[in-house]
Amino acid sequence: MSIRVTQSCPTCGRRVQFRAALLGYKVACPHCQSEFRAQADPQHRIDAAGKPVDPSARLMDRVERVLAESTGDSGDV
């Protein structure tokens, strides 16, 4: 049995399931036929040190940066 992974289609947003062996290759969404590169789910990404990356932490970093820029703050939030 092959390992399967899922990814959201960047065009229609539906979840697409494919074999893990296709990671890095172009795949087509069976719903809208849009082609995109198969990637690992962002929730399962790891950083250069091999540690899991928390996508919500990255989002909060961006939110804090935008808020600091909009208020003219030096970045100390």
Side-chain angles (χ1 to χ4, degrees):
M1 176 155 74
S2 65
I3 297 173
R4 301 191 70 78
V5 294
T6 60
Q7 176 181 350
S8 293
C9 171
T11 302
C12 71
R14 291 190 181 184
R15 299 296 291 173
V16 178
Q17 187 180 87
F18 48 87
R19 293 186 324 269
L22 294 175
L23 288 171
Y25 291 93
K26 255 188 193 177
V27 295
C29 174
H31 307 286
C32 71
Q33 306 309 314
S34 173
E35 291 186 352
F36 57 95
R37 190 161 309 280
Q39 299 177 4
D41 190 333
Q43 292 181 343
H44 301 293
R45 289 193 180 157
I46 57 172
D47 64 13
K51 296 182 181 178
V53 174
D54 180 7
S56 62
R58 289 191 321 223
L59 175 60
M60 290 309 296
D61 288 341
R62 290 195 319 256
V63 167
E64 289 175 359
R65 211 172 324 126
V66 168
L67 287 172
E69 289 171 4
S70 68
T71 61
D73 194 1
S74 64
D76 297 327
V77 183

